[in-house]
Amino acid sequence: MFRRTEPTDCTISWEGRDIPARAGESLAVTLLAAGVTAFRQTPVTGTERGPLCLMGACFDCLVELDGQQNVQACLAPVRPGMVAAMQRGARHFHQSEDAA
Ligand code: FES
């Protein structure tokens, strides 16, 4: 679907698999270039969704990034060694956040 025009210079982890990346490009671009199209599953039906706008408006690119949920992959710059995973369902709140 997408083809890289610039060489990669690092790797990231996606769902436990190493993905070639270029530091500074968006995580969404990295994943799309690797053939990943499902970034999250909806909270109600579990339907898979992927990036649509690539500019921070649609929220269909939400992922878990380095343990933080609800990160917009299209706005997250790649850092070597970052660990990302699919966002499954709604964000899980920690007990300390519920009390706030
Ligand atoms: S692709 Fe739309 S917010 Fe990221």
Side-chain angles (χ1 to χ4, degrees), residues 37-42 45-50 60 86 88:
T37 56
F39 285 37
R40 72 179 185 102
Q41 293 176 331
T42 61
T45 65
T47 304
E48 293 183 342
R49 297 286 172 89
D60 270 338
M86 182 179 277
R88 290 181 170 82

Side-chain angles (χ1 to χ4, degrees), residues 28 39 50-62 71-75:
F39 285 37
L52 179 64
C53 70
L54 292 173
M55 60 181 195
C58 74
F59 288 81
D60 270 338
C61 65
L62 295 179
V71 175
Q72 289 171 281
C74 68
L75 301 181

